[in-house]
Amino acid sequence: MTRFFTRALGALALLAIATPAFAQASPAGCWATVDDDDGSVKSYVKIYQSGSTLVGDIVRLTVNDGRCVDCADRYDGRVLRNERIMSGFTLDGDRYEDGSIIDPKSGRTYNGVMNLVEGNSDRLYLRGYLGIRALGRSQTWRRAAASNCN
């Protein structure tokens, strides 16, 4: 009986250790977008599941009292809160593809792909592009405390 108990306990310990390795990390959560030039936080975006896809909403801008300044006409001067800027991202392997990303500054909608940075689930790599991925721009966002997205 003791041998059975020892083996069972060992099997449970191995299962407990291995389970996180099988868990698929998700970009769902709160993310800080950063300025390309100085690295300061520009906004917080909440990414979450909507049906079979991931979407993202600007929760708040951290500059200009939350107003979009020098933005495309439909966004200019507006407080961007709960504004959908990402939609349609579906999981394909370890990457989310077939999404779209809106840039409030230009008002343009770009095709998008995103994935968690390998080995660091607190960094999200995003690429927006027109037509082909080579014609685009990339950003890396930082995971933020959930309280920033409330």
Side-chain angles (χ1 to χ4, degrees), residues 81-135:
R81 183 161 181 79
N82 300 323
E83 186 75 35
R84 173 82 32 95
I85 62 163
M86 301 170 67
S87 61
F89 285 89
T90 57
L91 183 61
D92 184 9
D94 62 350
R95 175 180 294 185
Y96 288 81
E97 299 191 350
D98 301 325
S100 61
I101 304 171
I102 298 172
D103 176 9
K105 285 284 188 189
S106 68
R108 285 186 165 167
T109 300
Y110 297 91
N111 298 325
V113 296
M114 68 178 170
N115 59 276
L116 295 172
V117 173
E118 188 175 335
N120 189 348
S121 62
D122 288 338
R123 296 288 183 263
L124 180 65
Y125 172 83
L126 294 107
R127 180 143 185 96
Y129 60 93
L130 293 171
I132 59 173
R133 290 184 189 165
L135 301 175

Side-chain angles (χ1 to χ4, degrees), residues 35-95:
D35 186 275
D36 292 332
D37 296 325
D38 65 15
S40 63
V41 175
K42 292 172 56 175
S43 67
Y44 291 99
V45 175
K46 181 178 183 178
I47 297 177
Y48 57 96
Q49 191 81 30
S50 178
S52 62
T53 66
L54 288 181
V55 298
D57 300 341
I58 293 177
V59 175
R60 67 182 165 98
L61 298 178
T62 61
V63 295
N64 303 319
D65 294 325
R67 295 193 181 282
C68 198
V69 176
D70 294 326
C71 295
D73 289 342
R74 70 180 182 184
Y75 299 109
D76 198 37
R78 287 185 42 215
V79 173
L80 295 187
R81 183 161 181 79
N82 300 323
E83 186 75 35
R84 173 82 32 95
I85 62 163
M86 301 170 67
S87 61
F89 285 89
T90 57
L91 183 61
D92 184 9
D94 62 350
R95 175 180 294 185

Side-chain angles (χ1 to χ4, degrees), residues 1-18:
M1 188 69 163
T2 304
R3 181 177 287 192
F4 173 77
F5 180 72
T6 304
R7 285 183 180 172
L9 187 59
L12 285 174
L14 285 174
L15 183 61
I17 291 169

